[in-house]
């Protein structure tokens, strides 16, 4: 894992080491230091158009390079701070960093590439988020359509009225919204119709079995059709093989993200690859393995 992240000398800090309350408290305290000392970094994973392989955007995925504990993956610290105020600090930091990356992309002429950012429920339900994002975008001169805010289906369903109100407010600012990990949150179809989102991301656990010609195949094609009837765009998460991408393309899915195209990589590597492909916009498969 640490090697995937590009720093092979980092030890991976595992989940069981973080389980007890002491550790949780330690993480909450360390987060403040981590932000100030810039130990938190956004890696980027490409989101590619299935029909022509063009790069459309990137999902920002947080990595914590802890000076003594090594690389901590988001799954090993985000869930531990999601109920505390630390998630708001981290979330605001991630938004600010994402807007800075967008600003740098625009300076290189990539002004139609978007960045998707993950938001935890406690963060997006805190008043003032819209104003905060508006200010970030204005001072970086980045248009709101460049930012895609990902909220998980599960988090929305837990507090659907509140979530819907926030989503409406964010949409009014011109921001785009994605429902992440779709299929794992058991939302009813009537909610789906009412929620003001732009993009639906089909969870990896369904795309994994898409070629088996069983339930997953039918779930995925049905979800794609349903999203299109509602006028939404679909991203398939976790695409690892050529055959998966061909199937999803033929099923009408517009966008894909997964190891087939690249694991999440650093901003520097991302910019190098964009520079290399330039106007063709053709994202090279397995970009994380390419030496530039
Ligand atoms: P997610 O938003 O569903 O992100 C997709 C996860 O799937 C990422 O894991 C990504 O590396 C992984 N992935 C992408 N393609 C493939 C593939 O083809 N195969 C496999 N096996 N995995 C793939 P990562 O980076 O470890 O992030 C895990 C989760 O942590 C994210 O799931 C998201 O829920 C959360 N997260 C990450 N960054 C942030 C953040 O900045 N804020 C918040 N609140 N949550 C974050
Ligand atoms: Mg996500
Ligand atoms: Mg997801
Ligand atoms: Mg997922």
């Amino acid at each position: 894992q640490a090697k995937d992240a590009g720093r092979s000398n980092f030890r991976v800090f595992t989940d069981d080491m973080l389980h007890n309350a002491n550790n949780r408290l330690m993480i909450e305290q360390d987060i403040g230091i981590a932000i100030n000392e810039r130990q938190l970094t956004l890696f980027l994973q490409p989101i590619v158009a299935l029909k022509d392989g063009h790069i459309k955007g990137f999902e920002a995925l947080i990595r914590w390079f802890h000076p003594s504990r090594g690389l901590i993956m988001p799954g090993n610290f985000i869930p531990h701070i999601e109920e505390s105020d630390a998630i708001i600090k981290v979330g605001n930091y991630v938004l600010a960093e994402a807007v800075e990356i967008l600003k740098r992309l625009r300076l290189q002429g990539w002004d139609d590439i978007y960045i998707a950012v993950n938001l935890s429920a406690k963060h997006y339900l805190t008043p003032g988020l819209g104003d905060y994002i508006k200010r970030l975008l204005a001072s970086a001169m980045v248009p709101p359509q460049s930012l895609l805010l990902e909220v998980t289906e599960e988090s929305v369903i837990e507090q659907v009225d509140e979530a819907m109100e926030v989503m409406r407010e964010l949409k009014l600012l011109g921001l785009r919204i994605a429902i992440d990990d779709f299929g794992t949150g058991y939302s009813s179809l009537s909610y789906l119709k009412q929620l003001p989102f732009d993009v639906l991301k089909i969870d990896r656990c369904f795309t994994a079995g898409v070629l088996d010609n069983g339930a997953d195949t039918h779930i995925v094609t049905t979800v794609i059709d349903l999203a299109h009837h509602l006028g939404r765009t679909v991203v398939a998460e976790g695409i690892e093989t050529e055959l998966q991408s061909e199937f999803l393309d033929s099923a009408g899915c517009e966008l894909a993200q997964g190891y087939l195209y690249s694991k999440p990589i650093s901003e520097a590597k991302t910019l190098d690859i964009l520079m290399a492909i330039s106007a063709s916009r053709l994202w090279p498969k397995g970009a994380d393995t390419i030496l530039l």
Side-chain angles (χ1 to χ4, degrees):
Q1 253 172 320
K3 193 157 170 271
D4 297 345
R7 299 197 188 181
S8 48
N9 53 334
F10 272 89
R11 186 169 53 85
V12 175
F13 193 60
T14 58
D15 199 33
D16 30 307
M17 297 160 84
L18 297 174
H19 262 326
N20 62 55
N22 264 343
N23 274 329
R24 191 170 294 210
L25 203 67
M26 205 158 61
I27 297 174
E28 281 177 36
Q29 288 166 353
D30 276 16
I31 280 286
I33 300 168
I35 291 174
N36 289 333
E37 314 220 317
R38 303 193 58 84
Q39 296 164 11
L40 300 177
T41 304
L42 298 186
F43 270 33
L44 301 171
Q45 188 178 33
I47 297 161
V48 172
L50 280 162
K51 72 165 159 48
D52 55 15
H54 284 186
I55 181 70
K56 294 293 176 184
F58 295 94
E59 178 171 2
L61 294 155
I62 198 167
R63 302 288 180 260
W64 184 357
F65 290 97
H66 194 287
S68 60
R69 299 177 192 172
L71 171 63
I72 313 182
M73 294 297 278
N76 288 334
F77 69 96
I78 295 286
H80 298 278
I81 60 167
E82 273 187 314
E83 308 299 323
S84 84
D85 287 343
I87 195 64
I88 297 167
K89 269 192 234 164
V90 170
N92 283 339
Y93 176 80
V94 168
L95 283 165
E97 289 292 300
V99 170
E100 284 303 307
I101 296 172
L102 282 167
K103 191 169 144 188
R104 290 190 281 272
L105 283 169
R106 295 174 74 78
L107 282 173
Q108 315 253 344
W110 298 97
D111 50 13
D112 54 357
I113 282 189
Y114 72 84
I115 292 191
V117 167
N118 294 284
L119 294 180
S120 296
K122 187 179 167 89
H123 186 205
Y124 70 73
L125 294 174
T126 299
L129 178 66
D131 285 338
Y132 174 72
I133 298 176
K134 203 165 119 182
R135 273 187 280 120
L136 285 178
L137 292 169
S139 72
M141 292 196 293
V142 170
Q145 312 84 258
S146 300
L147 207 54
L148 181 68
L149 302 173
E150 296 193 359
V151 296
T152 66
E153 180 195 23
E154 192 185 8
S155 78
V156 168
I157 290 320
E158 255 168 40
Q159 281 160 287
V160 73
D161 294 331
E162 294 85 346
M164 199 159 342
E165 200 180 308
V166 173
M167 288 166 82
R168 283 205 198 97
E169 183 199 327
L170 297 171
K171 286 292 302 163
L172 283 175
L173 295 175
L175 295 155
R176 298 195 308 134
I177 297 173
I179 303 288
D180 200 1
D181 302 342
F182 186 78
T184 62
Y186 310 104
S187 54
S188 78
L189 298 180
S190 66
Y191 280 151
L192 201 62
K193 195 177 77 179
Q194 290 172 52
L195 290 171
F197 67 97
D198 304 272
V199 174
L200 191 146
K201 298 189 77 171
I202 304 179
D203 194 71
R204 192 173 43 151
C205 67
F206 300 104
T207 51
V210 86
L211 295 171
D212 303 346
N213 203 27
D216 288 350
T217 314
H218 300 294
I219 291 170
V220 168
T221 51
T222 304
V223 166
I224 292 169
D225 290 344
L226 176 69
H228 288 165
H229 280 302
L230 297 172
R232 320 300 209 242
T233 301
V234 183
V235 179
E237 294 190 312
I239 298 305
E240 296 186 353
T241 70
E242 200 70 57
L243 285 174
Q244 288 174 336
S245 79
E246 282 165 15
F247 177 87
L248 285 152
D249 182 31
S250 68
C253 181
E254 291 93 347
L255 301 170
Q257 178 181 352
Y259 291 175
L260 174 64
Y261 308 98
S262 177
K263 290 184 175 173
I265 51 177
S266 69
E267 180 190 352
K269 175 126 189 171
T270 302
L271 291 173
D272 284 348
I273 290 168
L274 287 175
M275 184 92 82
I277 65 175
S278 70
S280 83
R281 304 188 67 102
L282 272 179
W283 185 265
K285 295 198 172 121
D288 55 314
T289 62
I290 293 173
L291 297 172
L292 286 165

